[in-house]
Amino acid sequence: MRYRTLDPKLIIETAERLEERVAERFPDAGLRGVAGELVSLSRDLAKAAKALEAPIWWLRGVIIAAVVAGALIFLFVGTILPLGRFSGPGDAVQSVQGIESSLNVLILAVVGFLALMRAEERIKRKKVFRELHGLRSLIHVIDMHQLTKDPARLSANFKPTAHSPARIASAADLARYLDYCSEMLSITGKIAALFAQSVNDDVVVDGVNDIENLASNLSRKIWQKITLIEGRR
C-alpha cells in the first residue's frame, strides 16, 4: 500500500528541497519566492486534504435526527391518528385522498433524505474547489516566471531593447531555471491529487484532472525551450 497512495509528507519535503536548490543557484531571482510560496501552499493544502477525509459528524447527526423525527411522525399518523378518524366508514373517496397524500409525503421525505445524504458531498466539494483555486493561481504565477526566458537570447546576434527583461547569459543556468519551473508545476499536480485521494467524488476528480492537465501543458512548453537550449549546445 506504500506506493499506492500519495504521502503528503514526501511531497512537502520535495518542495522544500526544490526551494533550497533554487535559493542556492538563483538567490536573487523572483523564482525563489515562488518556490517558498509553493512550500507554504503544499503544507496548507496537505492539511486541508487530510481534514476532508474525516466525516462531518454534526451533519450526520442532523441527518439521523431528521430520519428519526420523520419516522416518529409517520408512526404517529399511522397508529395514534388512524385514517378512520378523518373519514367515515363508507367514505372511500376521502380514504383514497388520504392514502394519496400519505404517499406524496413519503416521496417528499425520501427525496429530502437523499438531499441530506448528499449535503456532505457538496460541502466537501465546495471546500476542495476553494483550495484548488489558489493552486491554479500559483501555476499561472510559475508560468509567468518562465515566460520571458527565451532561448533566443543565448544567440550572439540577439540585441536587447531598453525594456527587455533581465537576461540569463549562461545556457546551463537558463536550462536549470526552466527545469526548476517544470518541477514546480509537477509538484502542483501532486498536491492537487491529494484531494482526489481524500474525497471520493467524480466532480472533484475532474477538477483535479483539470489542474494536472494545466500544469502538464505548461510544463510541455517549458521542455520545448529546454530542448532548444540543448540543441544550441
Side-chain angles (χ1 to χ4, degrees):
M1 294 296 293
R2 177 183 178 186
Y3 297 106
R4 296 185 183 182
T5 58
L6 287 170
D7 189 340
K9 181 180 178 181
L10 296 180
I11 296 176
I12 295 173
E13 290 177 356
T14 302
E16 290 172 344
R17 285 195 299 269
L18 179 58
E19 180 190 15
E20 293 171 355
R21 291 161 56 200
V22 174
E24 290 172 355
R25 192 174 294 270
F26 303 104
D28 300 325
L31 190 66
R32 179 181 181 181
V34 179
E37 184 63 26
L38 178 62
V39 173
S40 177
L41 187 62
S42 64
R43 292 170 180 166
D44 295 339
L45 297 191
K47 292 180 181 178
K50 183 65 177 178
L52 289 173
E53 294 179 359
I56 305 179
W57 294 112
W58 67 265
L59 180 60
R60 295 193 177 188
V62 170
I63 295 173
I64 293 174
V67 172
V68 172
L72 292 176
I73 291 174
F74 277 109
L75 182 63
F76 175 77
V77 173
T79 57
I80 301 177
L81 296 177
L83 191 63
R85 295 191 178 185
F86 300 97
S87 62
D91 197 347
V93 175
Q94 290 191 11
S95 298
V96 171
Q97 291 177 348
I99 295 174
E100 182 182 1
S101 300
S102 300
L103 290 175
N104 291 335
V105 172
L106 181 61
I107 293 173
L108 291 175
V110 172
V111 172
F113 174 72
L114 293 177
L116 285 176
M117 291 296 293
R118 297 183 63 87
E120 181 174 351
E121 182 180 286
R122 291 194 298 271
I123 291 174
K124 289 187 176 182
R125 185 186 301 166
K126 185 176 181 180
K127 291 181 178 179
V128 169
F129 280 99
R130 186 184 302 120
E131 302 294 348
L132 290 181
H133 178 73
L135 190 60
R136 183 186 295 273
S137 298
L138 182 61
I139 289 175
H140 286 292
V141 171
I142 296 172
D143 183 58
M144 287 296 297
H145 278 76
Q146 68 85 28
L147 192 62
T148 57
K149 303 303 182 287
D150 189 358
R153 295 173 175 272
L154 300 175
S155 175
N157 299 325
F158 179 78
K159 295 180 179 180
T161 65
H163 296 89
S164 295
R167 176 184 179 184
I168 299 178
S170 170
D173 286 344
L174 181 58
R176 182 54 55 194
Y177 187 99
L178 293 172
D179 187 48
Y180 288 156
C181 292
S182 179
E183 290 185 40
M184 288 184 190
L185 293 173
S186 179
I187 292 175
T188 58
K190 304 304 177 289
I191 297 172
L194 291 175
F195 290 100
Q197 182 174 277
S198 299
V199 181
N200 187 16
D201 180 74
D202 292 338
V203 179
V204 171
V205 172
D206 290 340
V208 170
N209 288 337
D210 289 341
I211 294 291
E212 292 180 322
N213 290 334
L214 174 63
S216 297
N217 291 335
L218 295 178
S219 181
R220 192 176 298 114
K221 293 194 306 180
I222 293 175
W223 275 100
Q224 289 175 352
K225 291 184 177 181
I226 295 176
T227 302
L228 291 175
I229 295 173
E230 295 296 332
R232 288 179 179 276
R233 290 183 183 179

